[in-house]
């Protein structure tokens, strides 16, 4: 690499295969790009060509054409001259980013966030996902007015300090809003799950996020479960309903779709949801994923490390990037709170190396000397 002011896509990827109709794509090695300057870049034909080639490279990952670079982003605050909180400061070659710090809607997003988001999505071609630890019908989609009505009633009737009663009343109000009659496992329960699935997907489209990352960690510190979405069977039904609108089943002709990813405790879900999930994100923190243990195509599995704890040393991220299944190739590599890597020198030190290794081992596995072709 050539420091902060010269991004070499060729060197970052160590592949040499940028999809482009031009014959001089190798020239990108020496193109200047002020990486830490944010989205106020060289607005000229040279930068336009660079970004067109970058977007073309991102398209190679569609339909598992190559492993992706993934990460959970935890401190999105694009304001001021300090660039740590800007999505535009991430390595250009990040393919998919899950918004751990929140995915605001069009009414709550700030102008700075909107500009940062749109540049990364539209100019750099990076996919940004909403992520939620799902645990009940309506989570993240129930209007605040449903709850404020309960709080107002509690104040007026003098039971606002009875927290258990307030929470029960809020739950009942939420169930009523989603049309759930309280009978777990009934046809009515499935109907409510279907309504919630549609709401999740409609909101993604309305707010222009590129997919949904379901954090499935039932039984590991999830305290807000109400029984409506706390079993594998319930999640399977929800995800299949979501595939009517987003996800791989919504796109049988492979024209492009918003992604569905699942991370967390997904081992018991892979068989039932095989073909309904774009990527399974293994929280393989501190260890090397055994891709062959999942019983599914390893191209759909992303292995990750925990950069909340190991961003200074890189943990096992580089070893994960170099790992491969016994046959085929993995879906990608990434890290939780990978934006902490910005504080290393150079910024995103470990993630940049992981991106290089990730593509290098893929190329070696495939025996390629030219660009990868989608299967």
């Amino acid at each position: 690499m050539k420091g902060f002011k010269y991004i070499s896509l060729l060197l970052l990827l160590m592949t040499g295969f940028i999809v482009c109709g031009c014959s001089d794509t190798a020239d990108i090695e020496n193109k200047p790009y002020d990486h830490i300057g944010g989205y106020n870049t060289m607005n000229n034909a040279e930068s336009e060509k660079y970004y067109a080639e970058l977007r073309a490279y991102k398209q190679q990952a569609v339909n598992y054409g190559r492993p992706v670079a993934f990460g959970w982003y935890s401190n999105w605050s694009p304001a001021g001259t300090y660039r740590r909180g800007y999505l535009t400061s991430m390595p250009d070659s990040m393919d998919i980013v899950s918004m751990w710090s929140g995915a605001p809607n069009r009414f709550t997003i700030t102008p700075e966030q909107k500009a940062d988001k749109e540049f990364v999505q539209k100019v750099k071609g990076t996919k940004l996902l909403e992520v939620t630890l799902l645990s009940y019908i309506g989570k993240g989609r129930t209007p605040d007015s449903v709850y404020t009505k309960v709080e107002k009633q509690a104040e007026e009737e003098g039971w606002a300090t009875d927290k258990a009663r307030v929470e029960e009343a809020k739950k009942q109000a939420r169930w009523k809003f989603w049309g759930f009659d309280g009978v777990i496992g009934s046809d009515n329960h499935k109907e409510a799950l279907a309504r919630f699935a549609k709401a999740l997907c409609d909101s993604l489209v309305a707010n222009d996020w590129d997919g949904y990352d379901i954090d499935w960690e039932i039984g590991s510190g999830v305290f807000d479960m109400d029984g409506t979405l706390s079993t594998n069977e319930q999640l399977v039904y929800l995800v299949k309903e979501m595939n009517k609108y987003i996800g791989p089943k919504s796109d049988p002709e492979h024209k492009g779709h918003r992604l569905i990813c699942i991370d967390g405790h997904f081992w018991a879900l892979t068989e039932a949801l095989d073909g309904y999930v774009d990527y399974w994100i293994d929280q393989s923190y501190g260890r090397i994923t055994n891709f062959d243990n999942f019983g599914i195509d390893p191209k759909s599995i992303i292995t990750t490390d925990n950069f909340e704890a190991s961003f200074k040393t890189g943990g096992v991220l580089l070893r994960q990037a170099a790992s491969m299944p016994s046959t085929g190739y993995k879906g990608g590599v990434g890290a939780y709170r990978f934006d902490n890597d910005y504080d290393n020198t150079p910024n995103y030190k470990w993630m940049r190396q992981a991106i290089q290794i990730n593509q290098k081992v893929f190329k070696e596995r495939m025996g390629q000397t030219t660009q990868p072709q989608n299967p």
Side-chain angles (χ1 to χ4, degrees):
M1 292 182 288
K2 296 178 174 61
F4 295 131
K5 292 191 176 181
Y6 292 89
I7 293 292
S8 166
L9 198 55
L10 201 62
L11 290 178
L12 274 176
L13 308 176
M14 294 182 68
T15 58
F17 44 77
I18 302 296
V19 178
C20 183
C22 310
S23 60
D24 61 347
T25 55
D27 290 344
I28 200 167
E29 178 175 352
N30 296 311
K31 290 185 177 181
Y33 172 70
D34 186 1
H35 180 69
I36 61 172
Y39 38 81
N40 186 22
T41 59
M42 313 160 18
N43 186 19
N44 57 30
E46 188 175 21
S47 64
E48 288 178 6
K49 184 172 184 290
Y50 168 83
Y51 286 125
E53 292 170 348
L54 179 64
R55 291 191 299 272
Y57 167 75
K58 301 292 180 71
Q59 279 297 114
Q60 292 179 13
V62 174
N63 297 326
Y64 310 111
R66 60 165 176 77
V68 299
F70 168 83
W72 286 281
Y73 196 97
S74 61
N75 288 288
W76 188 28
S77 53
T81 58
Y82 182 48
R83 307 302 303 182
R84 189 189 196 283
Y86 286 73
L87 296 174
T88 45
S89 292
M90 300 184 300
D92 287 358
S93 302
M94 293 298 300
D95 292 290
I96 303 172
V97 173
S98 193
M99 299 299 295
W100 187 249
S101 55
N105 61 41
R106 61 190 184 280
F107 303 110
T108 60
I109 194 169
T110 68
E112 293 82 6
Q113 286 177 322
K114 188 174 186 292
D116 194 42
K117 170 181 178 288
E118 289 184 352
F119 191 89
V120 166
Q121 288 176 306
K122 297 177 181 179
V123 179
K124 294 189 178 183
T126 303
K127 294 185 181 299
L128 302 179
L129 310 182
E130 180 179 358
V131 55
T132 303
L133 206 163
L134 286 183
S135 50
Y136 59 81
I137 289 175
K139 187 167 185 179
R141 295 295 188 270
T142 303
D144 290 341
S145 59
V146 172
Y147 300 126
T148 55
K149 184 177 179 180
V150 171
E151 292 168 351
K152 181 179 179 181
Q153 180 185 0
E155 287 287 347
E156 292 174 346
E157 297 179 2
W159 46 276
T161 58
D162 188 341
K163 292 184 179 180
R165 183 177 177 182
V166 171
E167 289 306 309
E168 177 63 22
K170 286 183 176 180
K171 182 187 75 173
Q172 294 296 330
R174 180 173 68 246
W175 285 4
K176 182 178 180 180
F177 177 83
W178 292 99
F180 176 53
D181 62 13
V183 181
I184 302 294
S186 65
D187 288 343
N188 171 261
H189 185 186
K190 292 180 179 178
E191 292 166 0
L193 281 168
R195 282 190 284 273
F196 182 41
K198 187 175 188 304
L200 287 171
C201 300
D202 286 349
S203 181
L204 283 178
V205 174
N207 297 301
D208 197 23
W209 297 100
D210 299 303
Y212 203 92
D213 173 10
I214 298 170
D215 190 2
W216 189 244
E217 300 187 51
I218 301 302
S220 294
V222 182
F223 303 116
D224 59 1
M225 295 179 292
D226 66 1
T228 60
L229 188 52
S230 55
T231 70
N232 289 337
E233 292 75 19
Q234 293 164 358
L235 182 66
V236 167
Y237 189 86
L238 180 79
V239 172
K240 288 185 175 181
E241 285 293 314
M242 291 175 72
N243 267 265
K244 293 179 179 178
Y245 317 103
I246 68 173
K249 293 293 185 181
S250 71
D251 184 28
E253 297 181 2
H254 303 291
K255 293 182 178 180
H257 61 269
R258 285 175 167 81
L259 304 177
I260 293 179
C261 303
I262 299 181
D263 69 83
H265 302 164
F266 58 72
W267 305 278
L269 299 167
T270 54
E271 182 177 354
L273 288 176
D274 192 16
Y276 290 88
V277 175
D278 290 284
Y279 288 103
W280 303 92
I281 307 169
D282 186 19
Q283 295 178 359
S284 44
Y285 303 162
R287 60 179 173 83
I288 307 303
T289 296
N290 187 335
F291 301 95
D292 302 318
N293 281 348
F294 290 94
I296 54 176
D297 193 328
K299 289 198 294 290
S300 65
I301 302 172
I302 298 173
T303 182
T304 61
D305 201 7
N306 180 8
F307 269 25
E308 184 172 72
S310 59
F311 73 94
K312 289 184 179 180
T313 65
V316 297
L317 182 67
L318 302 189
R319 291 171 58 200
Q320 289 178 338
S323 66
M324 277 287 184
S326 58
T327 59
Y329 53 92
K330 65 178 180 287
V333 69
Y336 172 59
R337 300 194 67 185
F338 81 103
D339 49 299
N340 286 337
D341 194 17
Y342 180 91
D343 293 334
N344 288 314
T345 304
N347 63 42
Y348 289 106
K349 169 184 177 180
W350 302 112
M351 200 68 211
R352 293 182 193 283
Q353 292 181 57
I355 291 170
Q356 296 170 7
I357 296 168
N358 194 32
Q359 299 306 314
K360 180 175 182 291
V361 297
F362 165 70
K363 184 178 178 182
E364 291 171 347
R365 171 58 62 89
M366 302 304 291
Q368 290 178 330
T369 57
T370 57
Q371 68 188 45
Q373 300 297 316
N374 292 345

